[in-house]
Amino acid sequence: MFPEIERTLVTRGQIAARVAEMARDIARDLKADLIRDGHSALDEDRVVLIPVMTGAMIFAADLIREMPVKLAIGLVTVSSYPGQSVSSKGAQLASALPDNLAGKHVLVIDDILDSGQTLALVREVVGAQKPASLRIAVLLDKKTARVREVPVDYVGFEIPDEFVVGYGLDYDGYYRNHPEIAVLSKSVLDAAEQRG
Ligand code: IMP
Ligand code: MG
């Protein structure tokens, strides 16, 4: 689809199969929480999913359609990559957080856990509202890139420390609609690297 894309790391089929498995695990755990609380699994207003925009958009859209759980969605936007860069410049909240998380079962959803700064921040601000439970799901984990440790509950795939695009992940705002997890060509990445 894009000539700048060099190779695929995770195919559409692999993503679809793994997302369905993750959804099953998450739904099972949330139902167990609700039953433990004395609610039925269909109770209203107890589960809130927080996709971290914009990267988690496609992953979250696929995940929730595999989850037969009554849930609300509260978006949060975090920015860490100004313009044409491929390394985090520190995470900042770029939108208000939903303010009704106290007592709820909250699942934060992101595309990738890299340095950990984004999810450490989101975990902290969500946790401050005292949810009944707080879990994190990420599609991808670049384990070797960690600067801040963050406990995550569900991981789709571990990947090597390479800059990836597709399935929601971008470079300079583009390639989010590429349907696979892929690596850009060396010339694009080298140019980005030089800009820092
Ligand atoms: P962290 O704060 O370094 O853990 O980075 C997390 C955020 O940076 C993710 O939510 C992504 O939006 C973005 N990110 C990290 N690695 C990549 C990548 O390889 N490609 C595209 N975006 C990335
Ligand atoms: Mg992000």
Side-chain angles (χ1 to χ4, degrees), residues 47-106:
V47 175
V48 182
L49 266 45
I50 303 189
V52 180
M53 290 292 105
T54 306
M57 175 177 93
I58 295 176
F59 174 40
D62 282 348
L63 195 66
I64 59 174
R65 283 178 293 176
E66 301 280 346
M67 284 176 53
V69 175
K70 195 156 200 171
L71 55 85
I73 294 177
L75 302 177
V76 66
T77 300
V78 175
S79 67
S80 54
Y81 283 32
Q84 297 176 330
S85 91
V86 291
S87 61
S88 174
K89 304 287 180 281
Q92 271 187 321
L93 275 187
S95 74
L97 197 70
D99 59 2
N100 57 345
L101 305 176
K104 302 286 171 67
H105 295 288
V106 174

Side-chain angles (χ1 to χ4, degrees), residues 96-115:
L97 197 70
D99 59 2
N100 57 345
L101 305 176
K104 302 286 171 67
H105 295 288
V106 174
L107 176 74
V108 173
I109 302 172
D110 207 357
D111 51 1
I112 187 166
L113 177 59
D114 186 15
S115 74

Side-chain angles (χ1 to χ4, degrees), residues 78 88-91 113-122 147-148 150:
V78 175
S88 174
K89 304 287 180 281
L113 177 59
D114 186 15
S115 74
Q117 295 173 94
T118 298
L119 286 172
L121 171 68
V122 174
V147 173
R148 285 190 69 178
V150 190

Side-chain angles (χ1 to χ4, degrees), residues 3-4 9 29 37-38 47-48 63-64 72 80 97 102-103 109 112 124 143 182-183 188-189 191:
E4 305 87 340
L9 275 190
D29 295 346
D37 293 351
V47 175
V48 182
L63 195 66
I64 59 174
S80 54
L97 197 70
I109 302 172
I112 187 166
E124 207 172 282
K143 265 219 160 86
V183 179
V188 177
L189 293 177

